[in-house]
Amino acid sequence: MSLRRRRLLQLAGGATVSGMAGCSGTDDDETGSEEPTHTDDDDEIDPPVGTPIPERPIERRVGSNHVSPKYRFDTDTDVLNEGAAVLEELGVSVISCWLHEPDIYYNLSTDWEPVRSLREAAEHPYYDELFRRDFDTYVLTANSHQGSTRQSGGYFIYGISEEDAAAEEDEFFDVTAHLLETYDGTGSEFIFMNWELDNIIAGTGGARSWDPTVVEDTITWLNARQRGIINARESIESDVAVLGACEIVDVFPALDDGEEWAINTVVPELDVDLIGFSSHGQIDHEAGHVLRDRDAVRERVFETLDYIEAYAPDPNPYLRSVMGDDVRPVILSEFGQPEVRDDYLDVMQAFRVVPPALEWGCPLLLYWTLFDNEVVIDGRIDTYASESELEDAFGDRPDREDVIGWYLIDPTGEPGTRWYLFEELLSNPEEFELSFASIMEQYVSFIGGADMIHVTLEFDTVISESEVNPDIPEEDARDLAVALSDLTVHTGDSERSYGLDDDEQLVIEYGAHNPEVDATDTTFRWFGTEEAATSMYLVTEEPTDGPLELEMTSWAVKESIEVEVTIDGEPIDTVVVDEERETFSVSW
């Protein structure tokens, strides 16, 4: 008889849950708590009372995923708990792991017997050790063992029967009951979540992705999981909180272009407690590569989270009891950018989503990921390489250049840039704003520079490119002020020239167009844009505490343009740039 069937009989006949198979409690000496209370359905169970989100310290709101690591360092323990120990050292009390198929996702030097259910996985000594660590919140990506779990649980897009739905409900009831019983007295929070729903549907559904039948079957699948969670927590009294979440990934196509995606087709029909947003391909990408201005990042984060919240289920009484009456039901379930594939600066800028997401009210923000989960083997990215395949390709472990860069700790054991940003956030959350200047300070140290010079150029006018070249349509025309072809800093007896295409040593915050090459093979760059100003940072190899001179070769797009030069926040000089190429300098 299925648990779902027993649940129906219980409603009719008043039988207690304590007689159900697979829902046994634990001895008092194992948990240090009293035996969980099982109740008849006529007795209403009060939900656990948690700390409201605004009152939680920063370490209870930020954490990291630890999934499918492609290297490890401490082979005296299992790889699941090795990573957990590292995150405890960092100081966060939120961790995200995968619960299904641990023999695939945590296989490095770790022996696993195949598990046949989520409860069986949760009962494993490795997970039991994890759940007794000093974390407050565990986010668990979990698929039942229905259908093809090795396709990220996507069997349901080909149809989900009543039996399938009942089995989903049973399995999530069973694992929820186990957590409520076994860890009662700890006050822990567990959140069950699927993996990126849009990618499951689009990746396995092909042209059928948003067919109404697929959408309906997806809703059935997710709501069956949630029913199992709800039924268990309504039947077993515990101070442990268990929540259900749906993770989505593609929001911008719906938000910006009105396309059909999970957010506006599936999410409005769900009964889940929370919506997880895997943001690294969306707002994180824009923060790292597109939006230089901090206010623009904040505006985009708020716009995106507001849009998701508008489709999300209203916070239910259980969620409000656990996370507070004013809880906003959207978490950043994956954020970050890869440090090897992208440069340090873009990676650090992507971290700018954190302060506005916290300000908006996201209960949790989870970085992707602790140890990199992707390697490059024979020129292709491999997410599922086995331990033997990794050994054949890399020996003991891959090098830094062999991974994509989704890490807090790189393959050499060294912390990446995000580790230090986490430390800064945890130590001083009230002042953690990640201005461009603060990002540059971190950036300079990471690339081995000694100091930096912040140069701001303000122009009295900008001119549309179509005014000087009528062949360019107005809608395609750039706003231009002056061009620079040479930039040199003189420090005492030494000098340093900066190529206008050197994005590592010459970092543009805003106000410049892409580098170009003229007929003499000289690289130059137009400055101005609609801001009528340019902000740039020059990385130096020596300290900049002595007399300095900045020399620039420049020309105006048309006639004469006044340029006010500010160095490190102090106005230095105003120069007039004409159409003829000439060199001018300012000293300070």
Side-chain angles (χ1 to χ4, degrees), residues 203 216 247 261 269 307 315 330 447 449 516 520 554 558 583:
E216 188 62 34
E247 184 182 61
W261 287 84
E269 305 301 324
Y307 182 79
V330 184
I447 66 171
E516 303 175 46
T520 66
S554 181
K558 185 179 181 181
T583 299

Side-chain angles (χ1 to χ4, degrees), residues 480-530:
L480 307 177
V482 302
L484 292 180
S485 63
D486 183 69
L487 199 57
T488 302
V489 173
H490 299 273
T491 57
D493 296 331
S494 64
E495 65 178 44
R496 170 69 184 276
S497 293
Y498 295 83
L500 272 298
D501 56 355
D502 183 355
D503 290 334
E504 182 174 286
Q505 304 295 324
L506 170 62
V507 178
I508 306 295
E509 180 180 6
Y510 60 80
H513 297 286
N514 291 330
E516 303 175 46
V517 178
D518 65 16
T520 66
D521 269 347
T522 300
T523 300
F524 70 97
R525 200 164 188 166
W526 282 107
F527 290 77
T529 72
E530 61 184 11

Side-chain angles (χ1 to χ4, degrees), residues 315-469:
N316 56 55
Y318 188 93
L319 177 63
R320 293 201 302 271
S321 179
V322 173
M323 292 187 170
D325 287 336
D326 297 325
V327 61
R328 306 189 77 171
V330 184
I331 66 175
L332 285 194
S333 48
E334 299 178 23
F335 77 90
Q337 289 286 281
E339 188 163 299
V340 176
R341 189 177 63 189
D342 296 346
D343 63 38
Y344 287 129
L345 185 62
D346 290 340
V347 165
M348 287 188 284
Q349 287 196 115
F351 213 84
R352 292 184 298 166
V353 303
V354 171
L358 290 169
E359 179 190 352
W360 182 86
C362 273
L364 302 172
L365 285 75
L366 295 159
Y367 178 75
W368 185 273
T369 182
L370 174 61
F371 300 149
D372 210 318
N373 69 306
E374 292 184 334
V375 291
V376 178
I377 298 178
D378 295 331
R380 63 179 180 86
I381 298 174
D382 196 323
T383 306
Y384 296 101
S386 67
E387 186 166 21
S388 61
E389 289 172 327
L390 292 171
E391 289 177 354
D392 289 344
F394 309 116
D396 185 33
R397 67 176 64 92
D399 292 326
R400 188 176 179 277
E401 60 269 19
D402 297 321
V403 299
I404 298 301
W406 303 106
Y407 56 69
L408 290 177
I409 302 294
D410 74 19
T412 71
E414 291 298 316
T417 57
R418 280 69 53 93
W419 178 277
Y420 295 108
L421 292 174
F422 260 109
E423 285 187 331
E424 185 178 339
L425 171 64
L426 292 167
S427 65
N428 196 6
E430 298 301 324
E431 297 183 13
F432 185 82
E433 296 182 353
L434 276 193
S435 65
F436 198 86
S438 68
I439 291 174
M440 283 301 304
E441 290 175 2
Q442 295 266 9
Y443 173 71
V444 168
S445 68
F446 262 90
I447 66 171
D451 209 340
M452 63 182 180
I453 303 169
H454 181 201
V455 179
T456 303
L457 307 177
E458 296 185 43
F459 312 107
D460 66 344
T461 187
V462 292
I463 295 172
S464 173
E465 193 175 14
S466 60
E467 289 188 32
V468 293
N469 187 350

Side-chain angles (χ1 to χ4, degrees), residues 62-83:
V62 298
S64 175
N65 287 272
H66 172 41
V67 180
S68 194
K70 294 299 180 286
Y71 47 88
R72 61 174 310 187
F73 307 96
D74 179 12
T75 55
D76 291 334
T77 186
D78 64 278
V79 70
L80 175 64
N81 282 284
E82 177 187 357

